[in-house]
Amino acid sequence: LPKLGILGSGSGSNCQSIHDAIRSGALKAEIAVVMSDNPDAYILERARSWGVPAEVIDCAGFKTKFPEESQEAVAARLKEYGVDCVCLAGFMRLVKSPLLQAFPSRIVNIHPSLLPAFPGLHAWEQAVHAGAEESGCTVHYVDGGMDTGPILGQARVPVLPGDTPESLHARIQVEEHRLYPAMIARVLETLE
Ligand code: GAR
């Protein structure tokens, strides 16, 4: 089975959807390791509860930067676990060359907007504040830019009157949890 390495900084609901898709047989893969830059992230607890190795990424005290040494260490660790495909699931640091070089065309991300609209932080809030009538989510290959890289797939949701950033994000997340496992399955097919 192809091995996934999942990187996340937060609650890990997308990681959960990947785990669920594997359990149901819809996604033929295994999660080899979950890594987080945030030692308190719930994503790590989820992994532990499944018996999946959960590791903290040392970012040398940097709050938002992902230092090159840390990326090298993460790449080495992912290789040790035999990871074939790296899935960013709510990972809030910019992945750059040490990791990209180690996993060319093998790192994917999910972003909560219809890229190229609303890259960056709090995309759901950006959509509400911009008065967008529609938003959604995008799965794309990671290329070192901020939410750039070739798009694998998107799902759309309406922005409804009275939506708050939170209510829109909740609607987007329902679609994320469907889209991401399906797009990962497609990426894995290309690696076979
Ligand atoms: C998700 O909505 C994901 O698309 C977003 O963070 C959330 C993480 O939720 N990612 C980004 O904004 C990356 N730019 P989760 O931890 O429950 O999967």
Side-chain angles (χ1 to χ4, degrees), residues 10-15 46 89-92 109-112 120 122 124 147 169 173 176-177:
S11 116
S13 71
N14 278 287
C15 186
R46 292 189 201 256
F91 187 66
M92 299 319 248
N109 180 44
I110 182 137
H111 182 78
H122 308 301
W124 53 89
D147 303 315
H169 190 209
Q173 284 220 290
E176 289 191 322
H177 299 158

Side-chain angles (χ1 to χ4, degrees), residues 87-153:
C87 306
L88 308 184
F91 187 66
M92 299 319 248
R93 295 182 198 241
L94 261 191
V95 167
K96 293 254 179 182
S97 68
L99 254 172
L100 290 172
Q101 267 170 23
F103 292 93
S105 298
R106 285 164 183 261
I107 308 182
V108 292
N109 180 44
I110 182 137
H111 182 78
S113 75
L114 297 173
L115 290 172
F118 310 124
L121 290 178
H122 308 301
W124 53 89
E125 198 172 287
Q126 295 186 51
V128 168
H129 290 160
E133 288 181 0
E134 191 179 49
S135 191
C137 52
T138 304
V139 175
H140 64 95
Y141 286 105
V142 173
D143 71 353
M146 168 79 86
D147 303 315
T148 53
I151 289 176
L152 281 151

Side-chain angles (χ1 to χ4, degrees), residues 21-159:
I22 290 172
R23 296 232 5 207
S24 77
L27 177 58
K28 299 197 171 27
E30 70 182 84
I31 303 176
V33 61
V34 170
M35 303 181 78
S36 180
D37 57 321
N38 170 9
D40 301 321
Y42 188 59
I43 193 171
L44 291 173
E45 247 174 79
R46 292 189 201 256
R48 286 184 203 113
S49 78
W50 308 326
V52 167
E55 300 195 358
V56 176
I57 301 168
D58 178 3
C59 286
F62 289 103
K63 274 225 165 94
T64 55
K65 196 177 139 186
F66 194 9
E68 201 160 299
E69 307 75 57
S70 307
Q71 302 210 26
E72 268 162 21
V74 168
R77 208 72 189 117
L78 291 168
K79 292 284 182 191
E80 279 172 32
Y81 279 104
V83 165
D84 300 294
C85 177
V86 181
C87 306
L88 308 184
F91 187 66
M92 299 319 248
R93 295 182 198 241
L94 261 191
V95 167
K96 293 254 179 182
S97 68
L99 254 172
L100 290 172
Q101 267 170 23
F103 292 93
S105 298
R106 285 164 183 261
I107 308 182
V108 292
N109 180 44
I110 182 137
H111 182 78
S113 75
L114 297 173
L115 290 172
F118 310 124
L121 290 178
H122 308 301
W124 53 89
E125 198 172 287
Q126 295 186 51
V128 168
H129 290 160
E133 288 181 0
E134 191 179 49
S135 191
C137 52
T138 304
V139 175
H140 64 95
Y141 286 105
V142 173
D143 71 353
M146 168 79 86
D147 303 315
T148 53
I151 289 176
L152 281 151
Q154 296 185 310
R156 300 171 175 274
V157 303
V159 181

